[in-house]
Amino acid sequence: MATLWELMHDCIPDDHARQVTSRYYVDEVMTAPDPPAQVLDLGCGRGTSAALFRRHNPEVHWFGVDIRDSPEAGQRTRTARTDPVVHYDGIRLPFRSASLPLIYSHQVFEHVSHPRELLAEIHRVLRPRGLFIGSTSQFEPYHSFSLWNYTPYGFRVLAQDAGLHLEEIRPSLDGVALIMRTFHGRPPEYSRYWDEESPLNTDIDHWAAKNKRRPALVNLRKLTFCGQFAFRVRKP
């Protein structure tokens, strides 16, 4: 039986083992040489990601897409309403083939009814060598019409089936923290764990220091138990 390491080692990074969010890849892409001038936020919700990209480039062309009855999209602020957002049917993206350099998706795919079909659409509309970055859930209780949780390997298989290549995957906060957050009624003190090491991840860091484990193996253990993970996917 193949282990998660055998299946995933080539896309588990060995530079550090900090927990991250999808913002990690926003910062990485937008500070790289020749950053993209436009980005599509897939499942844009309230449209708050526009500020993340404009922090790096105030002139970036940000636009969003979401389903018409998205509760989060209905909460867009007056400022966010100036950014273009189009509605779609949850599968077919209203963009030309090979037209987009970057697609961003923050905690959306656990809500997607037809993930295989939507990943195929992402492949269609991305330019060659274009990037799909974001995050999704592995161990997260039901929230806001969520449908699925993905193992890192399962997400990789779905991406590969769509003709996409998972280049890198990193752990976010641990699954125990997300489960306990829901169990206790989502108290605000749990929110800090998105920006600092969550409790189980802290225990894993202690285990790694005691046993002198390299970052890739620490990331492996955190990915095994993560509530959410962030990813960088490329169209060949």
Side-chain angles (χ1 to χ4, degrees), residues 69-204:
D69 58 352
S70 164
E72 290 76 16
Q75 299 170 12
R76 295 179 69 213
T77 64
R78 181 173 297 179
T79 300
R81 290 181 190 276
T82 64
D83 291 311
V85 171
V86 297
H87 295 115
Y88 82 127
D89 63 1
I91 298 178
R92 291 178 290 274
L93 294 171
F95 303 99
R96 299 190 309 275
S97 297
S99 62
L100 302 177
L102 177 64
I103 296 175
Y104 171 72
S105 181
H106 174 75
Q107 293 303 129
V108 170
F109 258 73
E110 67 268 28
H111 306 278
V112 170
S113 297
H114 303 283
R116 288 182 181 275
E117 292 83 353
L118 185 54
L119 282 164
E121 275 289 276
I122 290 170
H123 178 276
R124 180 184 67 80
V125 301
L126 276 177
R127 297 174 185 171
R129 304 297 297 163
L131 283 173
F132 170 44
I133 61 172
S135 61
T136 191
S137 298
Q138 174 176 225
F139 294 126
E140 182 168 10
Y142 169 84
H143 60 285
S144 189
F145 302 101
S146 60
L147 295 167
W148 325 107
N149 282 315
Y150 300 92
T151 66
Y153 174 64
F155 187 78
R156 180 178 208 176
V157 168
L158 288 173
Q160 287 177 335
D161 287 350
L164 298 165
H165 173 61
L166 177 63
E167 290 188 335
E168 190 173 281
I169 186 170
R170 293 183 183 268
S172 187
L173 78 171
D174 68 74
V176 175
L178 281 178
I179 292 168
M180 294 301 292
R181 174 176 177 256
T182 299
F183 179 75
H184 288 296
R186 302 170 73 89
E189 58 265 27
Y190 278 84
S191 298
R192 73 181 189 272
Y193 292 138
W194 271 270
D195 296 313
E196 61 184 63
E197 292 290 307
S198 54
L200 181 55
N201 281 343
T202 299
D203 288 346
I204 292 172

